[in-house]
Structures are given as C-alpha cells and as structure tokens.
Amino acid sequence: MSERLLKGIGVSPGIAIAPAVAVRWTLPEVPHHVVSRSQVEKEVRRLRAAVRDVKRHIEEVRARAAERAGPDEARIFDAQLLMLEDEDFLAGAEDLIRENHLTAEKAFEFKALEVRDLWTATGSTRLKDRLADLNGVTIRVVRHLMHRSEDDDWEQITEPSIVVTKELGPGLTVQLDREHVVGLLSEEGTRTSHAAILAHSMGMPAVMGCAGALEKIPPGTVLVLDGTRGTVLLDPTPAEITDAQGREQRRRALAAQLEEVVAQPSVTADGVRIVLMGNVDLPDEIKAAQAHRAAGVGLLRTEFLITSHSTLPTEDEQAAYFRRVGEAFPNLPVVIRTYDLGGDKLPPPFRVSWEANPQLGWRAIRVCLDEPAIFHAQVRAALRAAAHADIRLMIPLVTRIDEVERTRAIVAEEGDRLAQSGAQAARTLPVGVMVETPAAAVMADRLAAISDFLSVGTNDLTQYTLVVDRGNARLAERFTPHDPSVIRLLKMVADAGRAAGKPASVCGEMASEPLLAFLLIGLGYETLSVAPPALPLVKWTVRQISAAQARAAAESALAARTADEVLDILRLTLADAVDLKLLDPDARLPAGRRAASLNV
C-alpha cells in the first residue's frame, strides 16, 4: 500500500476532501498529590460535584444528539449517564480518597483505569466498543476537576476540516460543528462503536481503526477520506480529487435512485424469488426495515433489553416488545434470537467474574440454559407474542445437539403452563438454530433434523473459523467472510437444510454486502436477512443477476485457494450483469463486460 494511502474501517459512507486537524482528546496528566486528613471530605465533595456537573453536561449533549441524529441515537448517551450513576464505582473512588488521601481527580483516574484494564482483559467485543464511553466520561470528569475547558480543542477549527484523533467518543461526535468538520478519522474504533453509529446517523463520512493516523498525518495535510472504502489519501493530486468527487456524485445518485427499487419484487432475472428480511438491533430500526419493504425480521436481537440496565426486563416488557415488532410485520415472520450475552453483561445478581477468554466462555445459549429465571421468562414472552404474530425463536452459539433439545423442551413446558393458566399465548412456536460455530456447521445435518430452520450468523462463523477477533482493528484485513474455508461451511449448511426440507438462511453482515449476497444465492440460500439500510441495494442486485450465474460463480469459488481468488471470481461473473463500480468501488473491472445501470 502506498505511503500516501492509509487503510482503516469505513463506518459512515461518503467522501470528504479537506485539510487535517489533529484533536488530542485525551486524559490530561494528573499530578500525584496527596491531601491532608482535614481536606479528605472536601475532595469527596469536589468529586461528587464534578460528577453532577458532567452528568448535567452529558444530558445537554444527549438533547443536542436528539435534534441532530434522532431520539433513538440520543439514547447512546444513556450508557455514559449510567456510568456516572454507578454507586459502586463512585464509592470505590471515594475509598481511594479517604484511604490514600488522593485528590479527587487522581482517585477518579485510578478507578477508571482499573475498570478499563478489567474490560480490556475480558476480550469482549462489546465491552471494547464501550471503552470509548468509559474514556469519554473519565476525560470529562478529570478535565472538569482540573478546570480544563472543552472549547480549547475546537477553537483551532475555523474552516472545513477533517478531524484526526486517537479515539472518538459519541459526545465529541455529536458536538462537532458540521460547517467546519466535514469528516472524521480515528485510530481506534469499529463499525459498532457508538461514535460510528452517530456519525452514520448524522451523515458524516468517517473512517475508524486507522492505526498510526496521528503520527502519519501532519496537521494541515489535505486528505481524501472515503468512508465507504475505509481509505484516507494524503496530498491528493488534482486528478485524484476529481476522481474522488466523481465517486461521491455516483454514490449520491445511487442512493437516491435505489429508493425506486424498494417497491419492486425481489426476483432474479431467471425468476428465482429471494426473500429479503431485515435485521433489527434496536427499536428505531423497525421503521427502516418497514420503509425498505423487508419481508419480516430474520434477526431480532434482544440484548439491548439487558445491556445498560441494572435489572432484568420483565416478562411483560419482553412480550410487549416482541408483539410490537411482530405486528409491525403482519403475516410475516419475526425471528427472535434468544439472549446472546456473556456473563459479564448480566445485571446483578447474575453477573459472573472475569473470564480469560469470554468469546469461548459462558455466553449465549450456555447462559440461558444455566439461568432458568432469565431463559424461561424470555420463552414465555415469545409464546405470548406468538398469539398475535408469526414469532419464531432462534438459539445462538449452538455447539451441541442437547442445547436444541433442552430448548425445545422448555418451549413445550412453558407452552403447557401458559395454556393451563388461561393466558393468551401460542402453545408452541418454531425453534431454529443460529449456525455461527464450525461445530454447528459440521453438524448441520443433525441440527436440521431436530430444528425447524437454520440461519447462519456469518460474523461469528468467520471469527471462529479464521480465529480473527472481528472487533480488532489490526486484524480487519484478515476478517474475510468470503474465505474458502468459510464458504465451504456455508455450502454444508445450505445443503443440510435442503436435504432435511428445512429453510436455511443467512442473517450475518455478509448478506448485506451485494457482492457476497450474490455468492450466497449461488451457494443455495434463497432467504437473506439484511441490515435495513442495505435492503434497496441488495434487492437491486438480486434483480440484475440470474440464479444460474450465481451458482456458476459459487461453484468456482468453492474451488478457490484464497479469499482474493474468490473475490476475483465473483467480480468477473457479476460484471456480466452489473456495473461493479456501483457495488464495489475497488473492483478490478474485467474488460469488455456489459454493465447494468440503475435504469435497467
């Protein structure tokens, strides 16, 4: 890769062209002072006052986020507010003041660093994404105690600029002046970080996980930041700027014209119907999935009902939410994924201690089966919602046959109890397996025999197959769901479902990438669950290609040696039907190929 071209993770699409401004939003160096015994309680009061002030400031930032990004995005700040309300955390900082005579700022810093090290050691992807929230709170409180103003960081930005920083917290993202800040570049962060979600909602191009950006980019350097490709070009030539501007115009034209595709049927050129469902992480995504005509919900994540809360959701709360989603998609299936949580995410008294390798530890269906109070309530809630909608249950992280059998027994048990109590509920509901481990893929024929459906979670399947942490920015280029080893497992699952007469679908991020959706269709998947914003482009792609083309490409891809070879095969085949520049800006275009336009 050229020294002028840096690679990161594109988290918010669009192209920004402007000079770089380095913003070092970091924890200031806190002097190690001790206070006299008579000053200890004064320091405790200073700490409490600072926490109150910062909490009030974050509430103001949350209100600003509601105006600029929407009310659901504003809830991102609830995590920071909960940190400031954590009495155990604050009591620990106060103990450091009283026992060691530390200043308020030093005690808060020590306690925050202790929590940060604990979260980092867990290896949890979700906790890594929350580190930016913890760091943001810590910096705000410590800077407030040291009388440092936030305004100092932004006074240097007086013209359209691209902010380059070590780590972007959601608070910084939403405070940016859109007149002067046109793009964001961060050394840390992933697609699932809160700052990435906010940048996407605000329509600001952003690239994260770009290691060494602050060192490699002198302030004032003109950049071309491409939030779609995840690239940053330093000191572009006039020709490179013209090319980037052309790409951005095409991207905007594509986004506008794709809306016309939404109402059209999802059928290939040779008449094969591909069912396109939507993935729903949070309640606000329901409307987006509806607007893009999703054929139901293929993955309804339920973790938000627990994370950032101090208590478990009640059965009634869960039943109401499941029914709400089901009734939003009348006569269409809604697939509820049971809690996919590690023990570290649970509220007391269920929370467990630190694990050396949480991704291989006590999580997902293992937690649910070991904690009947959690699992049985969720199953009952699903059964109650199933009386009003087509509700289905999907089990994550399955590695053993008995996990499915035990879950089916619980569904039967709770169905009988609800019937005996006279509650309005379904007697049973379909139970499927989320195939996201190599063990489940290899055993797909056995799992299909005892399940009602299979659905592949390609995110974890790729992570576990390739031994790559999908939250690690350093390994981003190794996270390739189109690796030959992964697509062979995908083929095994599709074949197992077909042989058993059971539906097999894909609900991971792979289905949201048009090029890879083409591969999945060729492997035999006729149902894909897609991130709502990607639905129009995936549908347009489906309408351009033939299933026969996709099968031919998949057959060749299964014989490929490397992930790059797989991409070349897909691009070569797809170029017969589609202008690859619309789907894959970095594609090496084969010569002499017909390219479909958006008007086809």
Side-chain angles (χ1 to χ4, degrees), residues 268-539:
T268 66
D270 53 353
V272 177
R273 180 172 180 262
I274 305 299
V275 178
L276 297 180
M277 305 174 76
N279 294 339
V280 172
D281 290 10
L282 298 168
D284 65 291
E285 293 177 331
I286 298 171
K287 288 184 179 179
Q290 286 177 309
H292 294 314
R293 307 288 179 88
V297 176
L299 172 61
L300 180 65
R301 293 183 171 96
T302 57
E303 292 73 44
F304 88 95
L305 293 166
I306 282 187
T307 53
S308 299
H309 292 77
S310 58
T311 60
L312 290 170
T314 66
E315 178 186 326
D316 287 346
E317 289 171 337
Q318 294 182 75
Y321 177 58
F322 298 157
R323 179 175 177 178
R324 172 189 166 193
V325 179
E327 292 181 340
F329 297 91
N331 303 314
L332 294 171
V334 170
V335 181
I336 298 171
R337 184 180 70 181
T338 59
Y339 291 132
D340 187 9
L341 291 167
D344 58 317
K345 309 295 190 315
L346 298 174
F350 300 98
R351 189 174 299 156
V352 297
S353 57
W354 173 83
E355 291 184 305
N357 197 337
Q359 291 299 315
L360 303 180
W362 194 60
R363 57 172 289 217
I365 189 59
R366 301 166 184 178
V367 172
C368 288
L369 291 173
D370 287 350
E371 292 290 351
I374 296 174
F375 199 28
H376 284 244
Q378 188 170 54
V379 169
R380 286 194 300 272
L383 287 165
R384 288 169 56 187
H388 308 278
D390 183 358
I391 301 293
R392 306 174 186 187
L393 208 62
M394 181 165 65
I395 318 167
L397 206 73
V398 170
T399 57
R400 295 171 15 171
I401 297 291
D402 74 286
E403 291 166 339
V404 183
E405 294 173 335
R406 291 172 63 188
T407 299
R408 295 189 77 98
I410 291 169
V411 170
E413 175 190 343
E414 293 301 341
D416 289 343
R417 285 183 179 175
L418 287 166
Q420 291 169 10
S421 71
Q424 190 176 18
R427 193 65 181 256
T428 188
L429 47 63
V431 176
V433 169
M434 189 170 183
V435 180
E436 50 187 344
T437 65
V442 172
M443 291 287 287
D445 57 337
R446 304 293 178 84
L447 293 171
I450 60 170
S451 305
D452 294 305
F453 62 91
L454 303 174
S455 186
V456 184
T458 55
N459 304 347
D460 271 345
L461 182 62
T462 301
Q463 174 173 252
Y464 288 125
T465 302
L466 301 182
V467 198
V468 173
D469 178 0
R470 60 191 172 107
N472 189 328
R474 288 182 175 273
L475 300 177
E477 291 188 358
R478 289 177 175 266
F479 188 82
T480 49
H482 53 279
D483 187 90
S485 60
V486 179
I487 63 175
R488 289 187 181 195
L489 293 176
L490 285 164
K491 178 64 172 170
M492 291 174 65
V493 177
D495 289 348
R498 186 176 299 105
K502 305 289 179 67
S505 62
V506 174
C507 61
E509 287 182 18
M510 190 175 181
S512 299
E513 298 287 341
L515 196 66
L516 300 184
F518 175 65
L519 170 62
L520 293 171
I521 293 168
L523 291 172
Y525 293 95
E526 295 183 358
T527 298
L528 305 177
S529 194
V530 177
L535 278 165
L537 184 56
V538 173
K539 180 182 284 189

Side-chain angles (χ1 to χ4, degrees), residues 58-114:
I58 292 176
E59 287 171 343
E60 293 170 356
V61 172
R62 182 175 61 177
R64 196 177 310 165
E67 294 176 3
R68 301 183 66 177
D72 292 301
E73 285 79 3
R75 294 193 187 103
I76 282 172
F77 293 93
D78 290 351
Q80 293 193 5
L81 291 171
L82 283 169
M83 291 176 188
L84 290 170
E85 294 169 356
D86 188 332
E87 285 299 326
D88 289 340
F89 179 91
L90 294 176
E94 291 175 7
D95 287 344
L96 287 172
I97 295 173
R98 292 189 173 104
E99 294 171 8
N100 299 287
H101 292 193
L102 298 180
T103 60
E105 51 266 38
K106 197 64 181 179
F108 195 91
E109 179 195 36
F110 273 166
K111 188 62 184 177
L113 291 176
E114 176 187 311

